[in-house]
Amino acid sequence: MSEMSKFNYECQELAENNAFVNTNELVALVKKQFSDRPAFIVSYAVERTLEHAVQIDMDMEALV
């Protein structure tokens, strides 16, 4: 698996494991998880994780 795939999977996993927390809490969790990486990576991780969270919300709404 490529490094980018691993990164994306890590973001997706964060979104899935925290599907029921609010956006501010999710952002804080992402920042904590990626705190040892450069700021631009943290910023991108927040963006990707929030995108995954939106997709999860839409998928869950489709089930109802």
Side-chain angles (χ1 to χ4, degrees):
M1 181 182 295
S2 72
E3 290 302 313
M4 192 63 192
S5 293
K6 289 177 189 176
F7 173 83
N8 188 57
Y9 180 74
E10 193 173 356
C11 294
Q12 183 179 12
E13 191 174 49
L14 268 169
E16 288 176 0
N17 291 338
N18 297 286
F20 300 107
V21 301
N22 68 44
T23 302
N24 291 335
E25 289 178 87
L26 185 56
V27 168
L29 290 168
V30 173
K31 288 180 178 180
K32 181 178 178 185
Q33 173 113 5
F34 289 90
S35 64
D36 62 335
R37 302 180 201 180
F40 74 95
I41 297 289
V42 175
S43 177
Y44 188 56
V46 168
E47 180 182 333
R48 293 296 302 144
T49 303
L50 292 178
E51 288 173 1
H52 286 298
V54 167
Q55 184 62 49
I56 290 166
D57 286 343
M58 289 176 17
D59 292 347
M60 289 172 51
E61 286 178 13
L63 296 174
V64 177

